[in-house]
Amino acid sequence: MKNIDSRCPLPLRRIVDEYFAESRNKMLELGAFFDRLDRAGDAADPDEEFRVVALKRAAGVLLEPGPQRVKRMALLLSDPTEEPREYLDRKAAWGAYADTGEGI
Amino acid sequence: MDYIEPHAHMISRTTDDYQQMALTGCVALSEPAFWAGWDRQSADSFEDYFRQLTEFEPTRAAQFGIQHYTWLCLNPKEGENRDMARQVLARIPKFLQRPNVLGIGEIGLNRNTLREMETLRDHIALALEHGSMILIHTPHLEDKYKGTKLIIRTLQSFQNLDPRRVMIDHAEEHTIEMIRDNGFRCGLTLYPNTKVSLARAADIIEMHSAEGIYVNSACDWGFSVPVAIPQFILEMRRRKHSEATIRKVVYENPIAFFSQASNFYLSRACESVPGNVKELAYVD
Ligand SMILES: [Zn+2]
C-alpha cells in the first residue's frame, strides 16, 4: 500500500469542524441500517446476505490505522478474480462480490 | 469560475439543466454515447442517436452559450450483443468527421465478460484506425477494480496507442493509481451515492495531485447532479485550495485533453488553443 502523505490544506481542528457532523450522521445511519436488518420481517439472518457480510468486513477497516482506508474498503467490496466472465449473468452490479458468482 | 463539464448525458436532461449549468459557469461540455436504459433493437436507433448527438444537442446547448462536443460508440451495457456491435461500429465512421465529435466513447466494460471485451477491442481498433481519441467507462461497484485492470490490459495490447489520448473515467481510490501509473488521463465522477462524493474527489486530488485529472457530473437519467462541478469548486474552496489548482481541474485539464482533437476549439477561452475553428451548430 503506497504511503499517501499529501496534506489537506486545513488544520486538524478545522477538518473536524467542517466534517464531524456529517461523518457522525453517516456512522449513526450505518448503525441504524444494521439494526433494521436484525428486525427484518422474515427474521432472516443478515449474515446470510453476502452484501451485508462484505459491508461489515469493510466497516472493520474504519478502526484500522491509515493510510488509504477507503482503498482497502473498496477492495473488500470488489471482485478479486482476474479472468473475464464467460457469459453475461445480469446487467447491474450489486456493490459487493458474491463468491458463488451468482449473487444471493 | 468558468468550467468545462467533460461528461454529461444531456439528451436525458432538461433545458432548465442547461440553464443552471450556464448560470454556474459552464462554457463547454462533452457528451459520450451511453445506454438508453434498455437495449436498442436495431442499428438504426443508434444512427438516430448519433444524429441527435451531432445535430440537435449542439443547438440546444448553443442557446445557453455552451459548446457541445460528443463521443460515439455502442455503450458497454450493450457490448454483449456482438452482432449489434458490428453493425453499429460500421455506421460510426461517417459521423467521425462531424464538427463536434471528439472521438470514440464511452467504451469499456460493464460486467467484464468475454464478449464485452471483444466489443471493446473493436472500438479501440476503430479509434486507432481513424486517429480518434478514446473515452473509457470503467464498470460499476464490485466490477470496477477487475474491469479497470482488464481495460488497461486491453488498451496496452495495442502497440500504437498513446495513453495520453485516452481518458479513463469513473476512477476511484482503488483504481486511480493503476490508471495514472500507466500514463492514462483520469476522470472522477461526482455522484450522490456511487463513484465519488465531492469530499472524496477533493481528497483524491490532494493525495494524487491535480495532474491529468478532471472531474465530471456524468449526469444522465439516473440520480445525478448536473451542477456537480460548481459544487466541487465550493468544496475545494471550503478546504482553502488555491483558485489556480481548482481552475486546473475544472478548466485547464479538460482543455488540455480535448485539444488533442483537431476540431476542439473553445471560443470563449483566452488561451490560444490549437485546432481548426469550425461552426458547431447545424441550424437549417
Ligand atoms: Zn456516462
Side-chain angles (χ1 to χ4, degrees):
Chain A
M1 199 74 53
K2 217 185 223 175
N3 186 19
I4 301 291
D5 57 3
S6 311
R7 300 274 171 195
C8 172
L10 299 178
L12 182 96
R13 174 61 194 265
R14 187 69 194 278
I15 297 176
V16 178
D17 290 345
E18 289 284 336
Y19 294 97
F20 179 77
E22 66 186 66
S23 301
R24 178 184 187 278
N25 181 54
K26 283 173 189 161
M27 193 181 67
L28 294 180
E29 286 292 328
L30 197 55
F33 172 60
F34 288 143
D35 285 346
R36 200 175 308 136
L37 293 168
D38 291 339
R39 297 187 294 103
D42 60 356
D45 180 0
D47 293 336
E48 295 286 307
E49 229 290 346
F50 73 95
R51 287 171 291 186
V52 176
V53 174
L55 198 60
K56 285 182 177 174
R57 245 188 319 168
V61 175
L62 286 175
L63 298 180
E64 290 177 7
Q68 292 197 284
R69 291 180 188 85
V70 189
K71 178 178 177 180
R72 280 180 278 151
M73 294 166 92
L75 289 174
L76 287 172
L77 293 164
S78 296
D79 179 351
T81 65
E82 298 276 337
E83 292 308 311
R85 270 192 183 82
E86 219 146 314
Y87 299 101
L88 184 70
D89 51 351
R90 58 176 191 272
K91 287 257 199 219
W94 282 346
Y97 176 66
D99 286 337
T100 61
E102 298 303 325
I104 303 167
Chain B
M1 181 182 289
D2 283 355
Y3 71 89
I4 291 171
E5 168 55 87
H7 192 139
H9 301 291
M10 296 310 294
I11 71 155
S12 303
R13 308 302 311 193
T14 63
T15 298
D16 290 347
D17 291 335
Y18 268 120
Q19 189 177 38
Q20 289 303 311
M21 291 167 80
L23 286 169
T24 53
C26 181
V27 295
L29 62 82
S30 96
E31 174 157 8
F34 83 138
W35 191 47
W38 77 96
D39 291 351
R40 282 159 276 212
Q41 295 301 301
S42 82
D44 288 341
S45 300
F46 284 85
E47 188 143 348
D48 284 338
Y49 178 37
F50 297 154
R51 285 189 55 218
Q52 188 176 11
L53 290 172
T54 55
E55 296 173 25
F56 182 66
E57 215 51 46
T59 62
R60 272 184 91 207
Q63 287 179 287
F64 298 95
I66 296 175
Q67 288 180 246
H68 181 281
Y69 288 91
T70 193
W71 305 76
L72 305 178
C73 73
L74 170 133
N75 188 269
K77 284 258 193 197
E78 288 161 303
E80 189 74 2
N81 187 340
R82 294 286 298 139
D83 215 37
M84 179 78 79
R86 275 187 280 268
Q87 292 176 46
V88 173
L89 276 151
R91 294 181 187 223
I92 290 176
K94 69 180 176 203
F95 289 95
L96 287 177
Q97 295 311 313
R98 293 207 166 178
N100 71 331
V101 177
L102 292 177
I104 299 294
E106 56 183 309
I107 55 171
L109 298 174
N110 177 47
R111 285 287 285 165
N112 304 329
T113 71
L114 288 168
R115 287 199 187 90
E116 288 171 11
M117 286 187 69
E118 286 170 16
T119 300
L120 169 62
R121 261 187 227 107
D122 288 349
H123 276 101
I124 298 168
L126 182 75
L128 292 177
E129 191 186 318
H130 291 270
S132 302
M133 293 204 298
I134 294 174
L135 178 60
I136 294 283
H137 160 97
T138 54
H140 302 271
L141 303 168
E142 75 269 24
D143 297 319
K144 184 176 298 291
Y145 182 70
K146 172 179 170 176
T148 305
K149 276 199 290 188
L150 290 172
I151 288 167
I152 288 175
R153 202 187 302 161
T154 306
L155 287 163
Q156 288 176 333
S157 70
F158 289 83
Q159 280 171 354
N160 50 342
L161 182 135
D162 179 354
R164 292 168 301 185
R165 290 173 58 81
V166 180
M167 171 63 64
I168 300 187
D169 215 330
H170 315 317
E172 292 182 33
E173 291 85 348
H174 56 317
T175 58
I176 185 164
E177 287 165 51
M178 67 171 116
I179 295 170
R180 299 179 84 202
D181 290 353
N182 286 295
F184 296 100
R185 297 296 174 256
C186 180
L188 303 175
T189 296
L190 309 163
Y191 261 10
N193 292 323
T194 60
K195 303 187 170 53
V196 300
S197 62
L198 303 171
R200 281 170 56 205
D203 291 333
I204 289 171
I205 285 159
E206 285 165 3
M207 292 190 289
H208 298 275
S209 93
E211 229 42 67
I213 295 190
Y214 66 44
V215 295
N216 57 70
S217 76
C219 60
D220 57 13
W221 41 259
F223 290 110
S224 48
V225 183
V227 291
I229 293 180
Q231 291 178 354
F232 169 80
I233 293 170
L234 294 181
E235 176 70 22
M236 291 288 279
R237 284 180 181 152
R238 180 186 181 193
R239 297 194 185 190
K240 309 286 179 225
H241 282 288
S242 71
E243 293 295 296
T245 301
I246 302 171
R247 185 179 153 89
K248 188 174 174 64
V249 177
V250 303
Y251 191 75
E252 290 165 11
N253 286 352
I255 291 177
F257 179 63
F258 293 161
S259 293
Q260 297 177 91
S262 60
N263 56 328
F264 180 78
Y265 170 79
L266 199 58
S267 58
R268 284 172 61 176
C270 309
E271 297 90 347
S272 63
V273 179
N276 308 322
V277 183
K278 287 182 183 170
E279 275 300 315
L280 274 178
Y282 286 84
V283 186
D284 293 322

